[in-house]
Structure formats: C-alpha cells, structure tokens
Amino acid sequence: MLERLAAVEAEHARALAGGGEKYVTRHRARGKLLARERVELLLDPDTPFLELSPLAGWGSDYAVGASIVTGIGVVEGVECVITANDPTVRGGASNPWTLKKALRANEIAFANRLPVVSLVESGGADLPSQKEIFIPGGGLFRDLTRLSAAGIPTVAVVFGNSTAGGAYVPGMSDHVIMVKEQAKVFLGGPPLVKMATGEESDDESLGGAEMHASVSGLADHFAVDERDALRLARRVVARLNWRKAHQDPGAADPPLYGEEGLLGVVPADPKVPFDPREVIARVVDGSDFDEVKARYGGSLVVGWARLHGYPVGILANAQGVLFSEESQKAAQFIQLANQRDVPLVFLHNTTGYMVGRDYEQGGIIKHGAMMINAVANSRVPHLSVLMGASYGAGHYGMCGRAFDPRFLFAWPSAKSAVMGPQQLAGVLSIVARQSAVARGRPYDDEADAALRELVERQIEEESLAMFLSGRLYDDGVIDPRDTRTVLGICLSAIHSAPVEGVRGGFGVFRM
Ligand code: COA
C-alpha cells in the first residue's frame, strides 16, 4: 500500500506543479498568485481543503489536474465549493477533462446546497479540442444560473482573462469581484473587435475592472490587487446569511483502533478476501458498530454507526461475491436507512453477483435487481469508497458512479472493471474459439495466448485507481488513513442540504 501511495503522491505532485517551472516563474514574475495560493488565502486559516479529482486527465494528452483546482473548503465559517483555474497550464484553458471536473464541482454544489466561489483566470476553450467542449461547455453557465435560481449563492472573482464564453462566469454569478488592471472580461478582445467592426480598442476599455466597476456595472466590487480580491470574496461570503440545513453534531469519539492499521487491511492479491470490520473499526466513532443480520448473508456486512458525530448506515463487502441473501439484506437495509433519514456509506470489495446454474435458478438476477433498485431510488445521501475490487454489477449494487453517490473515493488498491482481467481475457478467448469452430476454421492457439496476455494487461491497466480517477470516475484517490477525515468532511458538506430519505417510491421490487 505504501508503494502504491508513493506512486499516487508522485502524480499529485505533477498536478501541484501546474504548467511546470517555466510558466510558474513567469506567472509569479507578473506578481500573480498561483491557483492553490488563491484558494489558501480565501479559506479560513487552518481549515482543511478537500481537493477533488486532482488526477483528472491522468493518462490523457492533457496535464494531470486538468488546469483547474476544485474542492470543498470553509470561508467565513461557510462550507463552499471552490474552483480555481490554473493559468500556468496552457493559459488556464479548458480541455475536455477540465470541463468534466468543473461540471462535477457544480453537481456537488447542487446536490449538497453549497455556495460556489469561482476564482477565474482562463484562456477559455482549449482551442484545438474545441469540438469536445464547445457544445457541452454551455453547461457551466447553465449550472451557475440554475444554482442561483435554487437559492445557492455564486461568487466570481476575476483575476485575469475571462473572455468570450468565459465572460458568462461573472455574467451568471450572483456576486462579482474584479482585480484592477488584471481582469479582462469581454465577449471579444481588441483583435476580434477590429475584425468584426473595424473599431480600435484596448483591453481596459473593453473589459477592465475599472470599466466594469464604474461603467458597465458587471463588477460589484473593485479590488486593488489579488489579496484585496480574496479579502472581498470573504466579506461577500460572510454577508450571505448562509445557514446549513442541519447543525453540526459537535465533538465525536475517535475510533479505538488507529488509522495506520488501514494500510495493511487490503491484501496485495485481490483474490484474498479481508474482513471489512477491520476498516469499520478504524473509521467510525468509538469503533462502535451495531451490525444487523450478522448471521445472514455473511458476504455483506451492514449496520449502524456514527462518523464524526453523523449517523450512518454502512454496507461493506466481506467475501467479495454477492449472493441472493446479501442482495435482499442490502435492499432491506437501504429501505430502513431511508425511513430513518440516515446517510449510507458503501465500502466496496466485490467481484460481483454470483453466477452459475444454481444461483440463476435461485433468482440471483431478481435479487440483485432488488438491491440495485433500492440503491437507485434511495434518496438519502450515499458515500462510496472503493477499497479493493469493484467489478461487474457489484459496482452498481454498491452505488458505483452511475448511481450518483454524493462522493466517491478510491484507495490506491481499488480496481474496477466489467470483470477481472483474467476472466475478461478468458471469456474473449472462448468466444473467439467458438466463432472459429462455427465457421469451420482452425483456431490459432499461439495467437490466442498472445492475445490473452495483451488483453489481460490492457484491462489490468484500465482497472487501476489512477486510470479511473483520470477519467473522473471518482472524486479522488485517497490515502486509506485519511478515510475517516475525508468522509467526515463530506458528511458535513452533505448536511448543508436537508437529508431526507424516500418513503415508498422504490418502484416495483421483483420478488
Ligand atoms: N487554447 C489552447 N492553448 C492556449 C489557449 C487556448 N485557449 N490559451 C493559451 N494557450 C496556450 C498558448 O498557446 C501558450 O502555449 P505555449 O506556451 O506552448 O506557446 C500557453 O497556453 C500560454 O499562453 P500565453 O499566451 O503565453 O499565456 P499568457 O498568460 O501570456 O496569456 C491568455 C494567457 C489566456 C490571455 C492568452 O493565451 C489568450 O488570449 N489566449 C486565447 C484566449 C481566447 O481567445 N480563447 C478563446 C475563448 S473561447
């Protein structure tokens, strides 16, 4: 685990390095703060910042981190979603991963009713990839105004370029701050205006802070420099009169067992099962866990606990495979959590639902469907942590990404795919052999072995946490030792919105 963590840390370091020394030095020489420095100055001193998807874009042609920082932090005591363009990476221009990451941040703000602060300095669309982002990119502006309509405050602080479509970030935000002689907010810059109308103009008169604060009225606050802008942003948030839907629960007992033990829980070989109670004991308050149906469906552990004072229901895979009993146990437990308005935590280590004649005849599809129905229609907030395997429909039943968990994190040991690499390569090989036989052609066993190896390696690589995080299939890869802290921050953020389960409304359960 430590080895894998070191590998993840090395990739995080690449995200922190932004566009690299040349662009960072140039940015500083212009007297500007880096994206994460802006975030740090915005936040209350000594409060944590839960950065989300720092590995976005990993494994793609774009820089790791996707030229934007997003996360949850506390400003004047208010938990906010914060986004900050990283202008050292291709001028802060948005590529397809930047867009996904920004849209995800908006989704989090919506679902949890968190005010949004955008720290803007971006070259707009990454022009060579415009076909991937121009049309879906409108969602960014749609979201800002829909957040506003839902009564969720939006604040834009403009540090630099915010032109063309980017101009609608301040345009759609409730509160706008612009930095003197730095903000450039216009639909078209001087060259474009010259081309379009022949008019001669300059940046300041077209879209400078001074102009917008005193002539156009787009800016509500004129900041003399970057620090002043962040000070003003804090004042704006302080005046939002923002109240969370639920009060903070106050101090909670730490677990009786230390988090260091979490490093050794997941075996190196994913086929070796582990007891998730070892994890639960190191994550929940006082290691106090009331298990339900402990003697039934032993491959899934369910029960009640508190985490940083918040009540939670936990579903954790034990032996890997989900059988009919586990599925029904899960469906019942999810209904209970909805009746009691208790958020659910899913701890993944599953190879999927059991296959085979006896299980099919025993109704494994119906029972798996009950669990997936319950997860899909449950309305209490869900948190998912991929500890180890998360394969096949087991990923769905345990509230995988498509089932909209409020947050989903992976440990470096996580693996997710339609099935295990060996199984997938084996299935492909069987299908190819059958196809050859059906056509009366000979089957090349040597080529088959080579293909199997190739496919196995490809699927293995595509199943790894870093790869999945690069594609925004989670909100980040975390150190297992941080699980309690990360889930605690998420639970606090979640309670910004009312936590209400669904009563009935599960659709038809196939019995
Ligand atoms: N798409 C792709 N690459 C971009 C980009 C964009 N929108 N904006 C900047 N870049 C690249 C530059 O080509 C440059 O690459 P290089 O260093 O390999 O040559 C790098 O990012 C840094 O840009 P640079 O212009 O040197 O940085 P700057 O800090 O002096 O200026 C901007 C930043 C954003 C003001 C300036 O690059 C710009 O005006 N970009 C175009 C803005 C625009 O009109 N976008 C379309 C809006 S939809």
Side-chain angles (χ1 to χ4, degrees), residues 22-23 26-27 30 32 87-94 121-128 161 163-166 184:
K22 175 180 153 197
Y23 292 97
R26 189 179 74 169
H27 188 72
R30 292 169 171 172
K32 292 185 163 193
T88 68
V89 185
R90 294 183 73 74
S94 292
E121 180 166 17
S122 164
D126 181 278
L127 293 171
N161 202 60
T163 63
K184 287 193 187 86

Side-chain angles (χ1 to χ4, degrees), residues 374-446:
V375 168
N377 291 303
S378 162
R379 286 287 163 269
V380 291
H382 297 171
L383 293 167
S384 280
V385 179
L386 272 56
M387 306 181 294
S390 186
Y391 285 116
H395 178 70
Y396 304 157
M398 291 295 289
C399 199
R401 190 58 143 179
F403 290 78
D404 295 330
R406 293 290 175 91
F407 295 93
L408 186 151
F409 293 96
W411 287 2
S413 43
K415 281 186 180 179
S416 195
V418 67
M419 62 180 87
Q422 279 172 343
Q423 291 82 348
L424 193 146
V427 169
L428 265 183
S429 154
I430 292 168
V431 172
R433 191 180 297 271
Q434 283 172 346
S435 158
V437 171
R439 279 190 251 150
R441 296 221 186 110
Y443 194 65
D444 184 342
D445 284 311
E446 224 167 273

Side-chain angles (χ1 to χ4, degrees), residues 292-317:
V292 178
K293 274 187 160 50
R295 291 161 175 249
Y296 183 83
S299 184
L300 183 78
V301 173
V302 306
W304 310 108
R306 282 186 174 265
L307 206 160
H308 276 289
Y310 295 100
V312 289
I314 298 176
L315 298 96
N317 303 115

